[in-house]
């Protein structure tokens, strides 16, 4: 998981760098990543801590998720989400040390943790 503020900051830094370059720069790819490998259980625990109330992980049954999504989304979109999440379940989405180092260099600091994002979001929601 990546903090959305890091995505915006990385994009702004890279766009400004390219705008200010004396000559066109070559293509560069950044993995926009967070520093933590997370599971459904750890994400629920993170939000429980941030919100000060119990958040329960819904589980890994993607058939149930797809069925529920069909009540809010077109069937093709629910299926697409099921397939995407199945890939996350089977292969994970964990950043490499190189990904973190590359993004850290761009940002000039380490990427924010998902827990920091959740705490900040919960604080903002409480003050809204």
């Amino acid at each position: 998981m990546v903090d959305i503020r890091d995505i915006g900051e990385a994009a702004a830094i890279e766009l400004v760098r390219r705008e200010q370059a004396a000559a066109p720069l070559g293509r560069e790819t950044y993995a926009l990543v967070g520093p933590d490998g997370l599971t459904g259980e750890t994400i629920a625990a993170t939000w429980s801590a941030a919100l000060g109330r119990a958040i329960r992980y819904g589980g890994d049954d993607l058939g149930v998720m797809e069925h529920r999504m069909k009540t809010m989304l077109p069937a093709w979109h629910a299926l697409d989400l099921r397939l995407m999440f199945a890939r996350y379940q089977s292969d994970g989405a964990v950043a490499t040390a190189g990904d973190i180092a590359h993004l850290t260099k761009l940002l000039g600091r380490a990427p924010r943790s998902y827990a920091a994002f959740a705490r900040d979001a919960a604080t903002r929601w409480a003050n809204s």
Side-chain angles (χ1 to χ4, degrees):
M1 296 288 218
V2 58
D3 189 313
I4 57 175
R5 296 169 296 183
D6 287 350
I7 295 171
E9 188 176 340
I13 290 168
E14 186 61 13
L15 288 169
V16 168
R17 183 178 80 90
R18 290 178 174 281
E19 177 67 24
Q20 294 176 349
L25 300 175
R27 187 177 292 192
E28 184 150 4
T29 302
Y30 289 91
L32 298 172
V33 297
D36 308 311
L38 302 169
T39 65
E41 293 290 345
T42 59
I43 291 169
T46 297
W47 282 106
S48 292
L51 297 170
R53 64 184 179 92
I55 302 297
R56 186 179 60 84
Y57 176 55
D60 294 330
D61 187 338
L62 296 177
V64 170
M65 184 212 68
E66 180 184 8
H67 180 73
R68 288 181 182 160
M69 288 291 160
K70 285 180 182 178
T71 66
M72 300 174 281
L73 301 170
W76 67 265
H77 195 179
L79 174 62
D80 188 54
L81 288 171
R82 178 184 181 169
L83 296 173
M84 179 182 66
F85 288 131
R87 182 66 185 258
Y88 284 131
Q89 285 179 345
S90 67
D91 298 335
V94 179
T96 66
D99 291 337
I100 297 290
H102 196 213
L103 186 57
T104 297
K105 182 177 177 184
L106 175 68
L107 294 172
R109 59 167 177 76
R112 292 179 183 96
S113 70
Y114 188 72
F117 163 74
R119 282 191 307 272
D120 292 348
T123 299
R124 288 175 191 254
W125 295 338
N127 294 329
S128 295

